[in-house]
Amino acid sequence: MFSVFVPSEGALKKAVVDDLAALPENAVWIDLVNPTAAEDKAVERMAGIAIPTREDMQEIEISSRLYIENGARYMTATLMCQSDTDMPRTTAVTFILGDHRLVTVRYDLPKPFALVEAKLARSCTPSITGEMVLMELLDAVIDRCADILERCGAEIDQVSHDIFEPESERHGHAKQYSQILISIGRKGDLTSKVRESLVSIGRVVTFLSAVVEGVKWSKDMREQLKTMQRDVASLTDHASYLSNKITFVLDAMLGVVNLEQNNIIKLFSVMAVVLMPPTLIASVYGMNFKSMPELEWAHGYPMAIVMMLVAAIVPYWIFKWKKWL
């Protein structure tokens, strides 16, 4: 399906198109979502451009993602989807800018598109063009990445607090440790996807900054592009910082788990050492030799019990005195 947006009374209105052959000529934004072959051909005839296939959009070469063909500028970026769920993913979106008209091709539902659509439906300049819509979309994508990184940073801080909090109830519970490790893994995956999206958007903004030199764009739009470049650079650095912090938190979590395991092993080692002398005494008096004087002694049994208790208490007291426990 696809949506067509035309300027109307200071707002961008959706145009309902029943006949593909009768697309409005004054459309400034055509949004193709999971387009069919017939929809692709209809837009190609109207806009005079070639619509890339899904396979073309997934190419990773920069030359296949950013190029100019027949006067139209083709830009494919990787955007975030489902970032608020446990299964975030990325999707390729192509922006085609030609003859002051923007055509977007996508096979998913990135949130910035809905936000921009709602914003422009409320108000926009009567002389809005495809370039302006593109700037709004890129700005919304960058803002969305910033929001995701901000939320991810707060959640990483909470995970770090849970790990290093001395009185945390999570200590000693393997199940809670597993949940923390899963949470760290998800934050790392989300951060890497956001960074991938930022790098892709940064390439698009750089490409636009290069091609506008020969195009009569307004001074405000040129300044907006420079601001976007600075924002993308700072957010990319912040994403790298979060990735390093996630690595540190993961190492700390694994260190806590290893320390917990070492404490358990140390406890078993201490118990073995404490019980070794009483076991030795019990083994001596468990031997079946005929000549053992203590066997005839009336107080031999209580004395053996006392000796075993003393032999167990003395090593334990030494460990406590040495602060090994």
Side-chain angles (χ1 to χ4, degrees):
M1 68 176 188
F2 67 96
S3 303
V4 179
F5 298 86
V6 296
S8 174
E9 299 179 357
L12 207 61
K13 301 295 183 182
K14 258 188 182 182
V16 179
V17 179
D18 296 326
D19 185 7
L20 295 178
L23 290 171
E25 291 293 334
N26 62 336
V28 297
W29 179 19
I30 301 175
D31 186 24
L32 297 171
V33 184
N34 293 313
T36 62
E39 292 171 345
D40 282 346
K41 292 186 179 298
V43 174
E44 287 175 351
R45 286 194 302 267
M46 186 200 81
I49 58 175
I51 303 298
T53 64
R54 190 169 191 174
E55 290 74 19
D56 294 335
M57 294 169 59
Q58 292 174 344
E59 295 288 342
I60 63 174
E61 298 91 349
I62 297 180
S63 60
S64 300
R65 286 181 160 241
L66 306 170
Y67 59 94
I68 301 176
E69 184 178 293
N70 297 328
R73 295 175 287 278
Y74 291 75
M75 298 157 285
T76 301
T78 301
L79 306 186
M80 288 292 303
C81 287
Q82 305 294 328
S83 59
D84 297 329
T85 66
D86 292 336
M87 297 295 293
R89 62 178 182 270
T90 57
T91 182
V93 177
T94 297
F95 304 90
I96 307 173
L97 192 61
D99 196 20
H100 303 294
R101 180 185 291 117
L102 175 66
V103 178
T104 54
V105 186
R106 55 195 175 103
Y107 292 87
D108 215 318
L109 302 174
K111 194 172 181 179
F113 278 78
L115 296 176
V116 171
E117 180 181 337
K119 177 183 178 180
L120 296 180
R122 291 192 300 269
S123 64
C124 67
T125 60
S127 59
I128 188 171
T129 61
E131 289 86 353
M132 296 179 183
V133 176
L134 176 61
M135 299 298 285
E136 291 286 347
L137 285 171
L138 292 178
D139 192 45
V141 169
I142 295 173
D143 288 344
R144 180 62 177 165
C145 289
D147 293 339
I148 296 173
L149 288 178
E150 183 179 359
R151 173 171 55 86
C152 189
E155 292 174 353
I156 293 171
D157 288 339
Q158 182 60 46
V159 172
S160 178
H161 178 270
D162 293 340
I163 294 174
F164 295 109
E165 178 64 32
E167 302 299 329
S168 175
E169 296 180 357
R170 288 181 169 85
H171 289 287
H173 298 280
K175 184 178 180 180
Q176 297 295 341
Y177 286 153
S178 299
Q179 292 176 354
I180 292 178
L181 289 173
I182 292 173
S183 178
I184 294 173
R186 286 175 177 169
K187 300 301 176 294
D189 179 59
L190 179 60
T191 303
S192 65
K193 284 181 168 59
V194 174
R195 192 176 188 281
E196 177 187 359
S197 179
L198 286 170
V199 170
S200 178
I201 291 297
R203 290 173 178 170
V204 170
V205 174
T206 302
F207 176 77
L208 277 176
S209 300
V211 298
V212 296
E213 297 301 329
V215 183
K216 294 182 179 179
W217 280 28
S218 65
K219 183 179 179 180
D220 292 339
M221 296 179 68
R222 294 174 185 269
E223 290 298 327
Q224 189 176 0
L225 276 176
K226 292 180 181 178
T227 302
M228 286 182 182
Q229 285 182 303
R230 290 192 295 266
D231 290 342
V232 169
S234 62
L235 289 175
T236 302
D237 292 340
H238 187 63
S240 300
Y241 159 74
L242 287 180
S243 297
N244 294 333
K245 187 172 183 179
I246 288 172
T247 301
F248 166 74
V249 171
L250 178 60
D251 292 340
M253 183 69 245
L254 295 177
V256 170
V257 172
N258 290 333
L259 183 61
E260 189 79 11
Q261 292 176 344
N262 290 338
N263 288 334
I264 295 174
I265 294 174
K266 183 175 70 173
L267 178 61
F268 280 111
S269 300
V270 169
M271 293 301 297
V273 173
V274 168
L275 295 176
M276 189 179 299
T279 303
L280 177 61
I281 295 173
S283 300
V284 169
Y285 288 105
M287 293 186 293
N288 296 321
F289 290 109
K290 183 175 182 181
S291 298
M292 293 185 68
E294 293 86 350
L295 295 179
E296 303 296 332
W297 189 22
H299 301 288
Y301 174 73
M303 190 62 185
I305 297 295
V306 171
M307 289 175 62
M308 286 188 285
L309 290 175
V310 171
I313 292 173
V314 169
Y316 178 79
W317 179 81
I318 293 175
F319 289 152
K320 293 289 289 185
W321 178 60
K322 292 286 187 179
K323 296 183 179 179
W324 293 345
L325 293 178

